Amino acid sequence: MANAASGMAVDDECKLKFSELKTKRNYRYIIFKIEAQKVVVEKVGSPEESYEDFSAALPADECRYSVFDFDFTTEENCQKSKIFFIAWSPETARVRMKMVYASSKDRFKRELDGIQVELQATDPSEMSFDIIKSRAL
C-alpha cells in the first residue's frame, strides 16, 4: 500500500469513512492526519455540524487533509451536494510537515473516489465559506 515516492500508507478506515460520507451521508466532514508514515482518520463531524465547526476543528499550526460534504441550493432551487477535498497547510506549520503533506496529497486523494472539488488552503481566508460556495456552483 505504501507509495514509493512518499512512503505513505493509507489506513483502511480512511476509505471506509469516506465511503460512508459519500453514500450514507452520516458525516459532514472527515479530517485526516499523517501519523507514523500512515494517513489516519483524526476526526469526523456529525451531519448536524456546520462549516464553521469544521473550520474550527483544523489545527492552526499543523497540516491536515480533509473532506467536507457541502449542501447547497442552486439558482433553480435544486438541492445539491458536493464533496470538497481540502488540503490544509498553514504558513505556521513546520516546513518538513508541509513537504510530507504536499508530496503525499495526490496519492491519498486517489484513494478517495468521489471528490468533486479540490481546494488548497494556507490561511483560513483561502477556504472561507464564500469561496466554498462559489466553487460549488
Side-chain angles (χ1 to χ4, degrees):
M1 288 298 275
N3 177 4
S6 68
M8 209 53 61
V10 177
D11 191 72
D12 288 339
E13 186 188 15
C14 295
K15 291 179 269 191
L16 178 71
K17 294 284 187 213
F18 179 75
S19 176
E20 290 173 359
L21 176 139
K22 186 172 75 169
T23 57
K24 299 178 188 159
R25 305 194 54 155
N26 49 358
Y27 308 115
R28 174 65 55 202
Y29 63 84
I30 308 170
I31 297 175
F32 306 95
K33 73 177 189 174
I34 296 176
E35 197 172 76
Q37 297 295 305
K38 188 181 223 181
V39 181
V40 297
V41 173
E42 180 179 50
K43 181 178 184 359
V44 294
S46 69
E48 299 79 42
E49 289 193 56
S50 68
Y51 188 74
E52 288 72 31
D53 297 327
F54 160 69
S55 297
L58 291 170
D61 56 358
E62 290 183 19
C63 301
R64 292 292 186 270
Y65 301 128
S66 58
V67 288
F68 184 82
D69 187 11
F70 179 64
D71 293 324
F72 62 99
T73 306
T74 65
E75 288 178 15
E76 297 81 35
N77 210 22
C78 294
Q79 286 290 355
K80 291 210 165 179
S81 166
K82 285 207 174 159
I83 298 174
F84 278 75
F85 177 87
I86 301 171
W88 172 242
S89 183
E91 297 288 338
T92 53
R94 293 189 322 272
V95 172
R96 169 126 178 79
M97 178 183 274
K98 289 195 259 192
M99 287 171 52
V100 168
Y101 273 80
S103 67
S104 306
K105 181 183 74 160
D106 289 337
R107 156 94 171 55
F108 177 60
K109 205 175 77 177
R110 279 196 301 274
E111 297 282 338
L112 308 178
D113 185 37
I115 289 169
Q116 293 151 307
V117 184
E118 180 183 343
L119 207 60
Q120 174 81 37
T122 60
D123 179 83
S125 67
E126 293 175 2
M127 52 177 268
S128 70
F129 187 74
D130 290 341
I131 289 174
I132 295 290
K133 206 160 79 177
S134 72
R135 293 287 300 274
L137 301 173

